[in-house]
Each structure stands twice: as C-alpha cells, then as structure tokens.
Amino acid sequence: TDQNYLMMFTEQGTVKKTVLSAYSNVRRGGIQAINLNKGDSLIEVRVTNGSQDIIIGTYNGMAIRFNESDVRNMGRTATGVRGIRLGKDDYVIGGIAVKQASTLLVATDKGFGKRSNLGDYRITKRGGKGIITVRTGERNGKMIALMQVNDNDELVIMTEKGMVIRQGVNKLRVMGRATQGVRLIKLNEGDRIADIARVVSEEEEEQQLKG
C-alpha cells in the first residue's frame, strides 16, 4: 500500500499504529493522538510504510523485533497493544522502524556503545520479552539510546555535565549482539551520557549547503 502510518511507542511497552492521514486536520489546540494508561508516557513516534519491522529497546538492555503487521491500525483515541513485556524496573527507551541498509547502534549511560547487524535481531511476535542487545550493569551502565546508523553518519554525544564530542560511525566496528560494546566517550567521574544524536558527516553537510 502507499499508505503511511504513525507508530507510537510508550515507556511501559505499548505500541500503537494509526494511519497518518488521521492527523491531517490538526486543530490549533491539538487533537488526541493516543490514550495513555495512568503513569505511562509517549516517548517516540515513527512514520512507517505499513510493512516495516519494528525494534523496541529497553533501559535494561533488552530488544524485540516484530513486523508492524502484528499491530492492527487503530483510531486516534485508542490505547494500543503490548509491544514488549517488560521485566522488573525496566522501561522502553526507544523504538525504530527498520531500514534495511543500516546497522543498529545501542549506547549506555556510562559511555559504552555497540554496533550490530540488524540480522542479529530475529523477528518474533510482538509482546514477548525480547533478547539481550547489550549487557547492562556496573561497568556499562544502562541502555539509553537505540538508533540506525550507516558508515557515513556521525554521532554527537552529549553528557549530563555538558561535554560534547563528535565522532564518525565508521570508527565503530560491527560486533555481535550480546557483547559488551566499546567505549564511545571517556567520562569524568560522576558524569553520564545524556543523549546521542545522529548527524550527517561534515562532507555531506557541505555538499548539501553547496547543492
């Protein structure tokens, strides 16, 4: 189909798919996009084409992959369905709609990251517990980011205490799914990664400006 959808991800593991055109006439005061359960919050929204795979990642380093056809199309005021079954003290940190020609980067708050082939994440049904994508714990910290990256992308990494570094994705070799990962940034005592953004490389940026 040529239909596009919005896939919404909540902190407590719910996913919801609504046809994009349902949001075409948004009033000034806004319209309801999703009905959230008490204590839950919307953390990510992705545009999908109706047949993409979805990967959801959690704070404790788990990930699940399923096809979006497992999630039926619902109206704007619906709550959604279970995307991943969360363990104790776990919550969702991000979700993606898979693009084939990319690798998956996950990162932890203590400055470690890992790049894996998407093929390492087998497709299951939604609502399961998922598989370990990065080992979390004393050394690594907890998982805070999940994104698709290519060799020509760059990462901007920001820490809670205001440090920023920029580095090329091509410096990170692709490793197996359940490995610990490598150090992305050397953190000072007590500092943690606050956020990571994927940006196009400086050469690409220049080409775009010229073009």
Short mmCIF file of all heavy atoms in Angstrom, two decimals, residues 133-190:
data_model
loop_
_atom_site.label_atom_id
_atom_site.label_comp_id
_atom_site.label_asym_id
_atom_site.label_seq_id
_atom_site.Cartn_x
_atom_site.Cartn_y
_atom_site.Cartn_z
N THR A 133 20.34 -7.07 24.03
CA THR A 133 21.04 -6.36 22.95
C THR A 133 22.36 -5.80 23.42
O THR A 133 23.32 -5.70 22.68
CB THR A 133 20.17 -5.27 22.31
OG1 THR A 133 20.93 -4.62 21.31
CG2 THR A 133 19.69 -4.24 23.30
N VAL A 134 22.43 -5.43 24.70
CA VAL A 134 23.72 -5.01 25.28
C VAL A 134 23.68 -5.39 26.75
O VAL A 134 22.63 -5.30 27.40
CB VAL A 134 23.97 -3.49 25.09
CG1 VAL A 134 22.99 -2.64 25.85
CG2 VAL A 134 25.40 -3.11 25.46
N ARG A 135 24.81 -5.85 27.26
CA ARG A 135 24.84 -6.23 28.68
C ARG A 135 24.93 -4.97 29.53
O ARG A 135 25.83 -4.16 29.36
CB ARG A 135 26.03 -7.16 28.95
CG ARG A 135 25.91 -8.44 28.16
CD ARG A 135 26.73 -9.58 28.71
NE ARG A 135 26.52 -10.79 27.91
CZ ARG A 135 25.49 -11.62 28.04
NH1 ARG A 135 24.56 -11.38 28.94
NH2 ARG A 135 25.36 -12.68 27.27
N THR A 136 23.97 -4.81 30.42
CA THR A 136 23.96 -3.62 31.29
C THR A 136 24.45 -4.04 32.67
O THR A 136 24.39 -5.20 33.04
CB THR A 136 22.55 -3.02 31.40
OG1 THR A 136 21.66 -4.02 31.91
CG2 THR A 136 22.05 -2.54 30.06
N GLY A 137 24.97 -3.10 33.42
CA GLY A 137 25.47 -3.42 34.76
C GLY A 137 26.44 -2.38 35.24
O GLY A 137 26.50 -1.27 34.72
N GLU A 138 27.26 -2.76 36.22
CA GLU A 138 28.17 -1.82 36.88
C GLU A 138 29.13 -1.16 35.88
O GLU A 138 29.30 0.06 35.89
CB GLU A 138 28.96 -2.59 37.95
CG GLU A 138 29.54 -1.73 39.04
CD GLU A 138 28.55 -0.75 39.68
OE1 GLU A 138 27.42 -1.17 40.04
OE2 GLU A 138 28.90 0.42 39.79
N ARG A 139 29.73 -1.94 34.97
CA ARG A 139 30.70 -1.38 34.02
C ARG A 139 30.02 -0.54 32.95
O ARG A 139 30.43 0.57 32.64
CB ARG A 139 31.52 -2.50 33.37
CG ARG A 139 32.36 -2.05 32.16
CD ARG A 139 32.89 -3.27 31.41
NE ARG A 139 33.70 -2.93 30.25
CZ ARG A 139 33.25 -2.90 29.00
NH1 ARG A 139 31.98 -3.15 28.72
NH2 ARG A 139 34.06 -2.61 28.00
N ASN A 140 29.01 -1.10 32.36
CA ASN A 140 28.39 -0.48 31.19
C ASN A 140 27.36 0.58 31.52
O ASN A 140 27.11 1.47 30.72
CB ASN A 140 27.69 -1.56 30.35
CG ASN A 140 28.63 -2.22 29.36
OD1 ASN A 140 29.83 -2.06 29.46
ND2 ASN A 140 28.08 -2.95 28.42
N GLY A 141 26.69 0.43 32.67
CA GLY A 141 25.55 1.29 32.94
C GLY A 141 24.31 0.75 32.26
O GLY A 141 24.24 -0.43 31.90
N LYS A 142 23.34 1.60 32.03
CA LYS A 142 22.06 1.20 31.45
C LYS A 142 21.92 1.72 30.03
O LYS A 142 22.51 2.74 29.66
CB LYS A 142 20.92 1.76 32.31
CG LYS A 142 20.90 1.19 33.73
CD LYS A 142 20.53 -0.28 33.73
CE LYS A 142 20.15 -0.75 35.12
NZ LYS A 142 19.67 -2.13 35.12
N MET A 143 21.08 1.05 29.24
CA MET A 143 20.91 1.46 27.83
C MET A 143 20.05 2.72 27.75
O MET A 143 18.98 2.80 28.36
CB MET A 143 20.25 0.31 27.05
CG MET A 143 20.19 0.55 25.57
SD MET A 143 20.01 -1.01 24.67
CE MET A 143 18.33 -0.87 24.09
N ILE A 144 20.55 3.70 27.01
CA ILE A 144 19.80 4.96 26.91
C ILE A 144 19.51 5.36 25.47
O ILE A 144 18.77 6.31 25.23
CB ILE A 144 20.55 6.13 27.61
CG1 ILE A 144 22.00 6.19 27.12
CG2 ILE A 144 20.48 6.02 29.11
CD1 ILE A 144 22.46 7.54 26.76
N ALA A 145 20.11 4.67 24.49
CA ALA A 145 19.88 5.06 23.09
C ALA A 145 19.89 3.85 22.18
O ALA A 145 20.62 2.88 22.42
CB ALA A 145 20.93 6.06 22.64
N LEU A 146 19.07 3.93 21.14
CA LEU A 146 18.94 2.86 20.14
C LEU A 146 18.67 3.58 18.82
O LEU A 146 17.73 4.37 18.73
CB LEU A 146 17.73 2.01 20.55
CG LEU A 146 17.10 1.04 19.58
CD1 LEU A 146 17.69 -0.35 19.79
CD2 LEU A 146 15.59 0.95 19.83
N MET A 147 19.55 3.37 17.81
CA MET A 147 19.33 4.08 16.55
C MET A 147 19.95 3.32 15.38
O MET A 147 20.85 2.49 15.57
CB MET A 147 19.92 5.50 16.62
CG MET A 147 21.41 5.54 16.82
SD MET A 147 22.00 7.24 17.06
CE MET A 147 21.43 7.58 18.70
N GLN A 148 19.45 3.60 14.17
CA GLN A 148 20.02 3.01 12.97
C GLN A 148 21.09 3.94 12.43
O GLN A 148 20.89 5.15 12.37
CB GLN A 148 18.92 2.84 11.91
CG GLN A 148 17.91 1.79 12.29
CD GLN A 148 16.77 1.73 11.29
OE1 GLN A 148 16.80 0.95 10.38
NE2 GLN A 148 15.77 2.56 11.48
N VAL A 149 22.24 3.36 12.07
CA VAL A 149 23.34 4.18 11.58
C VAL A 149 24.02 3.53 10.38
O VAL A 149 23.97 2.31 10.21
CB VAL A 149 24.41 4.42 12.68
CG1 VAL A 149 23.86 5.28 13.80
CG2 VAL A 149 24.95 3.09 13.22
N ASN A 150 24.65 4.37 9.56
CA ASN A 150 25.46 3.91 8.43
C ASN A 150 26.88 4.43 8.60
O ASN A 150 27.13 5.36 9.37
CB ASN A 150 24.89 4.46 7.11
CG ASN A 150 23.52 3.89 6.84
OD1 ASN A 150 23.32 2.70 6.96
ND2 ASN A 150 22.58 4.75 6.48
N ASP A 151 27.81 3.88 7.80
CA ASP A 151 29.22 4.27 7.90
C ASP A 151 29.47 5.76 7.73
O ASP A 151 30.39 6.31 8.31
CB ASP A 151 30.05 3.53 6.83
CG ASP A 151 30.56 2.20 7.37
OD1 ASP A 151 30.44 1.98 8.60
OD2 ASP A 151 31.10 1.41 6.59
N ASN A 152 28.65 6.42 6.90
CA ASN A 152 28.92 7.85 6.67
C ASN A 152 28.19 8.78 7.63
O ASN A 152 28.23 9.98 7.48
CB ASN A 152 28.64 8.23 5.21
CG ASN A 152 27.29 7.75 4.75
OD1 ASN A 152 26.58 7.10 5.51
ND2 ASN A 152 26.93 8.05 3.51
N ASP A 153 27.53 8.21 8.64
CA ASP A 153 26.91 9.05 9.67
C ASP A 153 27.95 9.46 10.71
O ASP A 153 28.99 8.82 10.84
CB ASP A 153 25.81 8.28 10.42
CG ASP A 153 24.60 8.01 9.54
OD1 ASP A 153 24.34 8.79 8.61
OD2 ASP A 153 23.91 7.00 9.79
N GLU A 154 27.63 10.51 11.45
CA GLU A 154 28.44 10.88 12.61
C GLU A 154 27.55 10.96 13.83
O GLU A 154 26.34 11.16 13.70
CB GLU A 154 29.15 12.22 12.35
CG GLU A 154 30.18 12.09 11.25
CD GLU A 154 31.11 13.27 11.13
OE1 GLU A 154 30.86 14.30 11.78
OE2 GLU A 154 32.08 13.16 10.37
N LEU A 155 28.15 10.80 14.98
CA LEU A 155 27.40 10.86 16.24
C LEU A 155 27.84 12.08 17.02
O LEU A 155 29.03 12.39 17.09
CB LEU A 155 27.69 9.63 17.10
CG LEU A 155 27.35 8.27 16.50
CD1 LEU A 155 27.84 7.16 17.43
CD2 LEU A 155 25.85 8.14 16.25
N VAL A 156 26.87 12.78 17.59
CA VAL A 156 27.18 13.84 18.55
C VAL A 156 26.71 13.31 19.90
O VAL A 156 25.54 12.98 20.08
CB VAL A 156 26.46 15.16 18.20
CG1 VAL A 156 26.67 16.19 19.30
CG2 VAL A 156 26.99 15.70 16.87
N ILE A 157 27.67 13.19 20.83
CA ILE A 157 27.37 12.63 22.14
C ILE A 157 27.46 13.73 23.18
O ILE A 157 28.46 14.44 23.25
CB ILE A 157 28.37 11.50 22.48
CG1 ILE A 157 28.32 10.41 21.40
CG2 ILE A 157 28.09 10.91 23.86
CD1 ILE A 157 29.44 9.39 21.49
N MET A 158 26.39 13.88 23.97
CA MET A 158 26.34 14.94 24.98
C MET A 158 26.25 14.30 26.37
O MET A 158 25.53 13.33 26.53
CB MET A 158 25.11 15.82 24.77
CG MET A 158 25.19 16.65 23.50
SD MET A 158 23.59 16.88 22.69
CE MET A 158 23.38 15.35 21.81
N THR A 159 26.97 14.86 27.33
CA THR A 159 26.91 14.31 28.68
C THR A 159 26.13 15.24 29.61
O THR A 159 25.91 16.42 29.30
CB THR A 159 28.32 14.09 29.28
OG1 THR A 159 28.85 15.35 29.72
CG2 THR A 159 29.27 13.45 28.26
N GLU A 160 25.74 14.69 30.76
CA GLU A 160 24.95 15.48 31.72
C GLU A 160 25.71 16.71 32.21
O GLU A 160 25.11 17.72 32.54
CB GLU A 160 24.56 14.60 32.92
CG GLU A 160 23.46 13.59 32.57
CD GLU A 160 23.14 12.64 33.71
OE1 GLU A 160 23.79 12.73 34.77
OE2 GLU A 160 22.25 11.80 33.52
N LYS A 161 27.05 16.61 32.25
CA LYS A 161 27.84 17.75 32.75
C LYS A 161 28.32 18.67 31.64
O LYS A 161 29.20 19.50 31.84
CB LYS A 161 29.01 17.23 33.58
CG LYS A 161 28.54 16.54 34.85
CD LYS A 161 29.65 16.25 35.82
CE LYS A 161 29.07 15.69 37.12
NZ LYS A 161 30.11 15.25 38.05
N GLY A 162 27.73 18.51 30.44
CA GLY A 162 27.98 19.48 29.38
C GLY A 162 29.13 19.20 28.43
O GLY A 162 29.53 20.08 27.67
N MET A 163 29.70 17.99 28.47
CA MET A 163 30.73 17.63 27.49
C MET A 163 30.05 17.23 26.19
O MET A 163 28.99 16.60 26.21
CB MET A 163 31.53 16.41 27.97
CG MET A 163 32.36 16.64 29.19
SD MET A 163 33.99 17.20 28.74
CE MET A 163 34.62 15.80 27.84
N VAL A 164 30.65 17.58 25.05
CA VAL A 164 30.11 17.16 23.75
C VAL A 164 31.27 16.65 22.90
O VAL A 164 32.32 17.29 22.82
CB VAL A 164 29.43 18.34 23.00
CG1 VAL A 164 28.95 17.88 21.63
CG2 VAL A 164 28.25 18.87 23.80
N ILE A 165 31.10 15.47 22.29
CA ILE A 165 32.08 15.03 21.29
C ILE A 165 31.35 14.61 20.03
O ILE A 165 30.17 14.25 20.06
CB ILE A 165 32.98 13.86 21.79
CG1 ILE A 165 32.17 12.58 21.96
CG2 ILE A 165 33.74 14.21 23.04
CD1 ILE A 165 33.05 11.34 21.93
N ARG A 166 32.07 14.69 18.93
CA ARG A 166 31.51 14.26 17.64
C ARG A 166 32.45 13.21 17.06
O ARG A 166 33.66 13.41 17.03
CB ARG A 166 31.41 15.48 16.71
CG ARG A 166 30.79 15.17 15.36
CD ARG A 166 30.43 16.47 14.65
NE ARG A 166 29.95 16.21 13.29
CZ ARG A 166 29.19 17.04 12.59
NH1 ARG A 166 28.82 18.18 13.11
NH2 ARG A 166 28.81 16.74 11.37
N GLN A 167 31.91 12.09 16.62
CA GLN A 167 32.77 11.05 16.05
C GLN A 167 32.07 10.29 14.94
O GLN A 167 30.84 10.23 14.91
CB GLN A 167 33.25 10.08 17.13
CG GLN A 167 32.18 9.25 17.79
CD GLN A 167 32.80 8.04 18.50
OE1 GLN A 167 33.09 7.05 17.89
NE2 GLN A 167 32.97 8.14 19.81
N GLY A 168 32.85 9.76 14.02
CA GLY A 168 32.30 9.03 12.89
C GLY A 168 31.86 7.62 13.27
O GLY A 168 32.55 6.93 14.02
N VAL A 169 30.73 7.20 12.74
CA VAL A 169 30.21 5.85 12.99
C VAL A 169 31.19 4.80 12.43
O VAL A 169 31.32 3.70 12.96
CB VAL A 169 28.81 5.69 12.35
CG1 VAL A 169 28.38 4.23 12.29
CG2 VAL A 169 27.79 6.51 13.14
N ASN A 170 31.88 5.16 11.33
CA ASN A 170 32.79 4.19 10.69
C ASN A 170 33.95 3.75 11.61
O ASN A 170 34.63 2.77 11.34
CB ASN A 170 33.34 4.73 9.37
CG ASN A 170 34.05 6.07 9.53
OD1 ASN A 170 34.24 6.54 10.65
ND2 ASN A 170 34.43 6.67 8.43
N LYS A 171 34.14 4.48 12.72
CA LYS A 171 35.18 4.07 13.67
C LYS A 171 34.71 2.92 14.57
O LYS A 171 35.49 2.33 15.32
CB LYS A 171 35.60 5.26 14.53
CG LYS A 171 36.22 6.38 13.71
CD LYS A 171 37.11 7.28 14.53
CE LYS A 171 37.94 8.22 13.69
NZ LYS A 171 37.19 8.98 12.70
N LEU A 172 33.41 2.66 14.55
CA LEU A 172 32.86 1.59 15.39
C LEU A 172 32.67 0.33 14.55
O LEU A 172 31.85 0.32 13.64
CB LEU A 172 31.49 2.01 15.95
CG LEU A 172 31.47 3.22 16.86
CD1 LEU A 172 30.03 3.61 17.17
CD2 LEU A 172 32.21 2.92 18.15
N ARG A 173 33.43 -0.72 14.85
CA ARG A 173 33.26 -1.93 14.06
C ARG A 173 31.97 -2.62 14.46
O ARG A 173 31.48 -2.46 15.59
CB ARG A 173 34.47 -2.85 14.21
CG ARG A 173 34.68 -3.43 15.56
CD ARG A 173 35.96 -4.26 15.62
NE ARG A 173 36.19 -4.77 16.96
CZ ARG A 173 35.62 -5.86 17.45
NH1 ARG A 173 34.80 -6.57 16.72
NH2 ARG A 173 35.89 -6.25 18.69
N VAL A 174 31.43 -3.39 13.53
CA VAL A 174 30.18 -4.12 13.79
C VAL A 174 30.52 -5.35 14.61
O VAL A 174 31.40 -6.13 14.28
CB VAL A 174 29.50 -4.51 12.45
CG1 VAL A 174 28.27 -5.35 12.70
CG2 VAL A 174 29.14 -3.24 11.67
N MET A 175 29.83 -5.52 15.76
CA MET A 175 30.10 -6.65 16.66
C MET A 175 28.83 -7.45 16.92
O MET A 175 27.74 -7.01 16.61
CB MET A 175 30.68 -6.18 18.01
CG MET A 175 30.96 -4.74 18.10
SD MET A 175 31.46 -4.12 19.72
CE MET A 175 32.70 -5.20 20.26
N GLY A 176 29.01 -8.61 17.55
CA GLY A 176 27.87 -9.48 17.85
C GLY A 176 26.90 -8.83 18.83
O GLY A 176 27.26 -7.93 19.59
N ARG A 177 25.68 -9.32 18.85
CA ARG A 177 24.60 -8.69 19.61
C ARG A 177 24.82 -8.69 21.12
O ARG A 177 24.59 -7.71 21.79
CB ARG A 177 23.30 -9.40 19.25
CG ARG A 177 22.08 -8.86 19.93
CD ARG A 177 20.85 -9.63 19.55
NE ARG A 177 21.02 -11.07 19.63
CZ ARG A 177 21.02 -11.76 20.76
NH1 ARG A 177 20.90 -11.16 21.92
NH2 ARG A 177 21.15 -13.08 20.75
N ALA A 178 25.24 -9.84 21.68
CA ALA A 178 25.27 -9.94 23.15
C ALA A 178 26.62 -9.53 23.76
O ALA A 178 26.88 -9.79 24.92
CB ALA A 178 24.89 -11.34 23.58
N THR A 179 27.49 -8.87 22.99
CA THR A 179 28.79 -8.43 23.52
C THR A 179 28.62 -7.15 24.35
O THR A 179 27.55 -6.54 24.35
CB THR A 179 29.78 -8.16 22.37
OG1 THR A 179 29.11 -7.33 21.42
CG2 THR A 179 30.21 -9.43 21.69
N GLN A 180 29.69 -6.77 25.03
CA GLN A 180 29.61 -5.62 25.95
C GLN A 180 29.71 -4.27 25.26
O GLN A 180 29.26 -3.28 25.78
CB GLN A 180 30.72 -5.72 27.00
CG GLN A 180 30.41 -6.76 28.06
CD GLN A 180 31.18 -6.48 29.34
OE1 GLN A 180 32.30 -5.99 29.30
NE2 GLN A 180 30.60 -6.80 30.46
N GLY A 181 30.34 -4.24 24.11
CA GLY A 181 30.48 -2.97 23.43
C GLY A 181 31.83 -2.31 23.72
O GLY A 181 32.66 -2.84 24.44
N VAL A 182 32.02 -1.14 23.12
CA VAL A 182 33.29 -0.41 23.25
C VAL A 182 33.03 0.98 23.82
O VAL A 182 31.91 1.46 23.79
CB VAL A 182 33.99 -0.26 21.87
CG1 VAL A 182 34.40 -1.62 21.33
CG2 VAL A 182 33.09 0.46 20.86
N ARG A 183 34.09 1.60 24.30
CA ARG A 183 33.92 2.94 24.89
C ARG A 183 33.70 3.98 23.79
O ARG A 183 34.51 4.11 22.89
CB ARG A 183 35.15 3.30 25.72
CG ARG A 183 34.94 4.50 26.61
CD ARG A 183 36.19 4.83 27.38
NE ARG A 183 36.51 3.88 28.41
CZ ARG A 183 35.90 3.82 29.60
NH1 ARG A 183 34.90 4.64 29.87
NH2 ARG A 183 36.26 2.93 30.51
N LEU A 184 32.60 4.71 23.88
CA LEU A 184 32.31 5.78 22.92
C LEU A 184 32.93 7.10 23.38
O LEU A 184 33.31 7.93 22.57
CB LEU A 184 30.79 6.00 22.80
CG LEU A 184 29.94 4.88 22.20
CD1 LEU A 184 28.47 5.28 22.27
CD2 LEU A 184 30.34 4.59 20.78
N ILE A 185 32.94 7.29 24.68
CA ILE A 185 33.43 8.56 25.23
C ILE A 185 34.00 8.28 26.61
O ILE A 185 33.46 7.46 27.36
CB ILE A 185 32.28 9.60 25.31
CG1 ILE A 185 32.76 10.95 25.86
CG2 ILE A 185 31.09 9.10 26.12
CD1 ILE A 185 31.72 12.07 25.80
N LYS A 186 35.14 8.91 26.91
CA LYS A 186 35.73 8.75 28.26
C LYS A 186 35.07 9.77 29.17
O LYS A 186 35.20 10.97 28.96
CB LYS A 186 37.24 8.97 28.19
CG LYS A 186 37.95 8.50 29.43
CD LYS A 186 39.41 8.17 29.12
CE LYS A 186 40.19 7.80 30.38
NZ LYS A 186 39.53 6.85 31.27
N LEU A 187 34.34 9.27 30.16
CA LEU A 187 33.58 10.16 31.03
C LEU A 187 34.36 10.51 32.28
O LEU A 187 35.09 9.67 32.82
CB LEU A 187 32.27 9.48 31.43
CG LEU A 187 31.25 9.26 30.31
CD1 LEU A 187 30.14 8.32 30.77
CD2 LEU A 187 30.66 10.58 29.83
N ASN A 188 34.17 11.73 32.76
CA ASN A 188 34.75 12.12 34.04
C ASN A 188 33.92 11.47 35.15
O ASN A 188 32.76 11.10 34.95
CB ASN A 188 34.74 13.64 34.21
CG ASN A 188 35.65 14.30 33.19
OD1 ASN A 188 36.67 13.75 32.82
ND2 ASN A 188 35.25 15.48 32.73
N GLU A 189 34.54 11.35 36.32
CA GLU A 189 33.87 10.74 37.48
C GLU A 189 32.49 11.36 37.69
O GLU A 189 32.33 12.57 37.73
CB GLU A 189 34.75 10.99 38.72
CG GLU A 189 34.33 10.22 39.96
CD GLU A 189 34.50 8.71 39.81
OE1 GLU A 189 35.51 8.27 39.23
OE2 GLU A 189 33.59 8.00 40.27
N GLY A 190 31.47 10.52 37.81
CA GLY A 190 30.13 11.01 38.11
C GLY A 190 29.35 11.54 36.92
O GLY A 190 28.19 11.92 37.05
#
